[in-house]
Amino acid sequence: MTLGSTTIRGNLRPKMTKDEAAWVKQELADQVDRYKKIVQEMEALAPQREQWVKGFLERIQTRGWHVHAAMRRVIPKNEIRPRDGRPLQVVF
């Protein structure tokens, strides 16, 4: 990867020292471990998340949704896209 001017060829990054390279390697391993832990916790919440979505869909079909200030609109069932069987994707 190059940094800086597009007219200069070559890598403009200084070489990492052994300590810096070891730190980067350790930091990457730590981040992967943290990511795996977050994914595990998110997957453990999947059944609860399904209940939250089910409750939300029931509320907007019965009580309605605030469109503006105190104005509510009940969302008919035909306006809600049916679930296609895939698990909910959580972006974090």
Side-chain angles (χ1 to χ4, degrees), residues 63-73:
R63 292 175 35 203
W65 181 263
H66 284 283
V67 179
H68 177 74
M71 294 174 26
R72 283 184 178 240
R73 177 178 177 265

Side-chain angles (χ1 to χ4, degrees), residues 6 31-32 37-39 43 46 69 72 77:
T6 57
Q31 287 182 17
V32 168
K37 183 179 178 186
I38 291 170
V39 168
E43 288 175 353
R72 283 184 178 240
K77 188 174 182 101

Side-chain angles (χ1 to χ4, degrees), residues 2-81:
T2 61
L3 296 175
S5 173
T6 57
T7 60
I8 298 175
R9 298 203 183 265
N11 190 351
L12 299 177
R13 289 179 187 252
K15 291 206 176 217
M16 285 195 282
T17 64
K18 289 182 181 181
D19 290 339
E20 291 170 337
W23 180 85
V24 168
K25 186 176 180 179
Q26 181 61 45
E27 187 65 23
L28 178 61
D30 291 345
Q31 287 182 17
V32 168
D33 290 342
R34 285 191 296 269
Y35 175 79
K36 287 179 181 178
K37 183 179 178 186
I38 291 170
V39 168
Q40 185 180 26
E41 290 174 0
M42 285 288 140
E43 288 175 353
L45 277 176
Q48 181 66 37
R49 191 177 307 111
E50 291 292 337
Q51 291 299 318
W52 293 333
V53 170
K54 183 179 175 185
F56 171 74
L57 292 176
E58 287 175 7
R59 282 192 305 277
I60 65 172
Q61 291 176 29
T62 55
R63 292 175 35 203
W65 181 263
H66 284 283
V67 179
H68 177 74
M71 294 174 26
R72 283 184 178 240
R73 177 178 177 265
V74 174
I75 311 296
K77 188 174 182 101
N78 64 349
E79 288 186 21
I80 297 175
R81 190 184 84 177

